Amino acid sequence: MLAFLRPYPSPLLSRRGLDLDFPLLAGCLGLLGLGLVMITSASSEVAAALSGNPLYHMIRHLIYLVIGLGAAGVVLLIPMSFWQRYGWMLLLAAFALLVLVLVPGIGREVNGARRWIGFGAFNVQPSEIAKVFVVVYLAGYLVRRQEEVRESWAGFFKPFVVLLPMAGLLLLEPDFGATVVMMGAAMAMLFLGGVGLLRFGLMVALAVGAVFVLVQTQEYRLQRLITFTDPWADQYGAGYQLTQALIAFGRGEWFGVGLGNSIQKQFYLPEAHTDFVFSVLAEELGLIGALATLALFVFVCVRGLYIGLWAEKAKQFFAAYVAYGLSFLWIGQFLINIGVNTGLLPTKGLTLPFLSYGGSSLVICCVSLALLLRIEWERRNVLGNEDVEFDEADFAEPNQEVAHAR
């Protein structure tokens, strides 16, 4: 298979061998490794009680990690021009998946939410896939309609013909967190695409108004908002999860209680290895460990934004918008999850990228990483630049004469 792919340039099969952005790769691999360790620690008690094997969730997470890294390897071989050319098909696939998950008998319901499609022992979460496909489609739209987006109201409103129905499907699951993250990333992409301040201000106002209406129309969302303001008023009821998370932070103090020594993971803190894994991390590794993890997250997110900036300077506009969108997806999930864990935001089920247990989230994070690495490699090799043309001679083997781009 490698021999078949050899004529096609990629960061895995280049003249310089493995040619990747190692700062971003190292940061994300560090988060993946930390996530595996923390999931093993946070899930051991629950796994032992439910399955008899304390490593049950660790083994499943490791399987998802292998799948994710395999998918990332495939994505690294695919040029960005492919994603740009077939963005509309990916968007249709995202809509199809979001419709299928709502069909009884196909979508699996857990805790009152129908967000997963089951494939035997594994579940696929379509919302994770849809967020990336929306970013790819919107990046293509911003390239095709750049002047229209910047100069006219029509160019500004057209993306919402796609975004609003998709947001509606997400809310039917319901998945309020994924909706907020997706719409937030889309708004950021539109702003970076050149939308005027007046139109952007209107978009922000409408988004805030929509969030207010959605909170008011669902009793459980309103209850979460009320509880979030004072969780200790009902610490054994609606505020239980948040108070237990805050207790974990308090027990961790500066240097933590030690890896594997968390008390809160022992059936006190619900979803300790998924949505609230950061609380267990803070308890076991302390404030120093939590701040170091935050610094690593900030680094990979900022690096992703810089990759977009570098691609934009190289006139690779589609790749730049994809990099911006993927980075803002990470930033949105990171801010919401950390905000929920620390009590700065109302409780909402949303995974922490690279760290939380969850197959779909982990695989999509690996795919997003691969896309960013591909964008950075194409930028350094001037692939996709509208002012540069290449032919096969530009990617000759090391023992052959290498031509220069024209």
Side-chain angles (χ1 to χ4, degrees):
M1 181 178 180
L2 291 178
F4 172 74
L5 292 172
R6 200 167 186 77
Y8 300 93
S10 79
L12 297 180
L13 301 168
S14 69
R15 292 191 301 272
R16 289 176 286 186
L18 192 64
D19 187 15
L20 300 170
D21 181 56
F22 283 101
L24 177 64
L25 180 62
C28 290
L29 289 179
L31 288 173
L32 288 171
L34 180 61
L36 181 62
V37 171
M38 291 313 306
I39 286 166
T40 304
S41 175
S43 67
S44 58
E45 301 294 334
V46 174
L50 297 180
S51 67
N53 180 8
L55 300 180
Y56 173 79
H57 290 105
M58 184 274 284
I59 293 171
R60 286 177 64 89
H61 187 79
L62 193 58
I63 292 172
Y64 285 127
L65 181 57
V66 171
I67 294 173
L69 293 177
V74 173
V75 170
L76 281 170
L77 300 174
I78 301 173
M80 294 306 298
S81 58
F82 171 89
W83 299 94
Q84 185 173 7
R85 186 179 305 116
Y86 296 105
W88 65 274
M89 295 182 65
L90 298 177
L91 182 71
L92 292 178
F95 270 110
L97 288 171
L98 291 178
V99 170
L100 283 175
V101 78
L102 298 175
V103 177
I106 297 179
R108 287 185 175 178
E109 185 172 338
V110 179
N111 296 329
R114 192 183 296 273
R115 301 176 186 173
W116 298 269
I117 297 176
F119 292 93
F122 299 96
N123 293 324
V124 174
Q125 192 169 357
S127 61
E128 295 290 339
I129 301 172
K131 286 184 292 188
V132 173
F133 286 0
V134 164
V135 165
V136 171
Y137 174 80
L138 187 55
Y141 174 83
L142 290 173
V143 171
R144 293 191 306 271
R145 306 284 185 176
Q146 190 174 61
E147 291 302 319
E148 190 177 354
V149 169
R150 293 178 177 180
E151 303 297 335
S152 72
W153 285 92
F156 165 69
F157 280 116
K158 282 180 181 178
F160 291 96
V161 175
V162 170
L163 293 172
L164 292 180
M166 185 160 288
L169 290 172
L170 288 172
L171 290 172
L172 288 175
E173 295 182 3
D175 196 343
F176 186 66
T179 307
V180 171
V181 171
M182 184 192 73
M183 296 300 289
M187 290 168 61
M189 290 175 68
L190 287 168
F191 178 74
L192 294 173
V195 170
L197 287 177
L198 175 61
R199 289 188 285 273
F200 183 75
L202 175 62
M203 179 170 57
V204 172
L206 290 174
V208 172
V211 170
F212 178 79
V213 171
L214 289 171
V215 169
Q216 295 292 325
T217 54
Q218 292 290 337
E219 180 63 29
Y220 77 93
R221 292 188 188 126
L222 185 60
Q223 184 60 44
R224 284 181 178 179
L225 183 61
I226 295 172
T227 303
F228 143 76
T229 58
D230 185 12
W232 302 101
D234 190 14
Q235 60 177 309
Y236 297 110
Y240 178 77
Q241 197 168 29
L242 179 54
T243 56
Q244 295 302 315
L246 294 176
I247 290 172
F249 278 93
R251 293 194 73 254
E253 298 184 348
W254 284 98
F255 299 102
V257 297
L259 188 63
N261 294 328
S262 168
I263 297 298
Q264 294 306 104
K265 70 181 182 182
Q266 299 180 16
F267 305 98
Y268 291 102
L269 178 61
E271 309 296 338
H273 60 294
T274 55
D275 302 335
F276 283 84
V277 69
F278 188 74
S279 297
V280 177
L281 183 150
E283 183 182 3
E284 295 189 347
L285 304 183
L287 179 63
I288 302 301
L291 289 178
T293 304
L294 291 179
L296 196 52
F297 267 114
V298 170
F299 171 76
V300 298
C301 291
V302 171
R303 187 75 178 183
L305 292 174
Y306 266 104
I307 287 174
L309 178 62
W310 296 332
E312 188 172 4
K313 288 182 177 180
K315 297 186 178 181
Q316 299 171 354
F317 297 113
F318 171 77
Y321 292 135
V322 171
Y324 290 143
L326 295 176
S327 300
F328 278 111
L329 287 179
W330 287 356
I331 291 169
Q333 287 190 230
F334 160 69
L335 290 177
I336 292 175
N337 185 278
I338 299 298
V340 167
N341 274 253
T342 56
L344 297 175
L345 292 173
T347 303
K348 181 70 199 78
L350 199 65
T351 56
L352 185 60
F354 297 104
L355 255 71
S356 292
Y357 177 81
S360 297
S361 174
L362 184 63
V363 172
I364 291 301
C365 281
C366 291
V367 168
S368 300
L369 168 61
L371 281 169
L372 288 170
L373 292 173
R374 177 79 197 195
I375 290 168
E376 194 276 337
W377 179 81
E378 288 195 6
R379 188 271 308 176
R380 281 189 289 110
N381 289 273
V382 209
L383 294 176
N385 189 314
E386 61 184 22
D387 295 333
V388 180
E389 296 179 3
F390 285 85
D391 59 27
E392 293 181 2
D394 292 305
F395 303 99
E397 293 298 314
N399 59 349
Q400 298 176 349
E401 183 179 354
V402 180
H404 295 284
R406 292 171 293 285

